[in-house]
Amino acid sequence: MLTSDSSPAYVWRRQLTTGSIMSSFGASGLYDIAYDWRNKLVWGRSGTTIVGRDVATGSITATFTSPPGPALAFTNFGEYLWIGTTTSYHRIYKVHCPFPVTVTPASVGKVKAIFK
């Protein structure tokens, strides 16, 4: 089971039957998290960015710009991340999360060499 809090800003992996903390990592701004079991990622919002963090290390694996309106509700089902927004938008967005999730640069303008 995964839980999160804003103060202190952490995500905790807990033992399901006892609630004991098995591991944790600092994750500023991740609220209403969703677990992507296929990619082993915890999804949440950090400012105006949706962030996918590795559940074991906490390192950022994937990011993309948040939909309009504060993204405050997340769930993952199959290949999709569902994001609920509030304020004047009140929408639910369906975002495809392929397996495996890979980080793709928005531009290759500063890349000196690309290897395959």
Side-chain angles (χ1 to χ4, degrees):
M1 175 173 64
L2 296 167
T3 60
S4 68
D5 199 350
S6 58
S7 182
Y10 271 86
V11 171
W12 295 276
R13 190 167 61 103
R14 297 178 179 267
Q15 206 282 333
L16 189 58
T17 56
T18 66
S20 301
I21 296 173
M22 298 167 60
S23 64
S24 66
F25 58 86
S28 179
L30 287 187
Y31 306 106
D32 292 324
I33 59 176
Y35 179 56
D36 178 351
W37 64 271
R38 294 174 328 121
N39 290 299
K40 308 277 189 284
L41 296 178
V42 177
W43 290 99
R45 176 183 59 90
S46 183
T48 58
T49 304
I50 305 300
V51 177
R53 291 182 175 261
D54 183 280
V55 74
T57 65
S59 61
I60 295 174
T61 303
T63 63
F64 59 90
T65 303
S66 178
L72 296 175
F74 294 83
T75 193
N76 185 274
F77 183 74
E79 294 185 15
Y80 296 95
L81 177 67
W82 299 80
I83 304 169
T85 61
T86 60
T87 312
S88 61
Y89 295 97
H90 299 290
R91 291 184 173 48
I92 298 173
Y93 294 87
K94 180 181 176 184
V95 180
H96 185 244
C97 295
F99 176 79
V101 166
T102 56
V103 177
T104 305
S107 120
V108 292
K110 295 186 179 186
V111 174
K112 301 293 182 193
I114 299 175
F115 298 95
K116 286 194 175 214

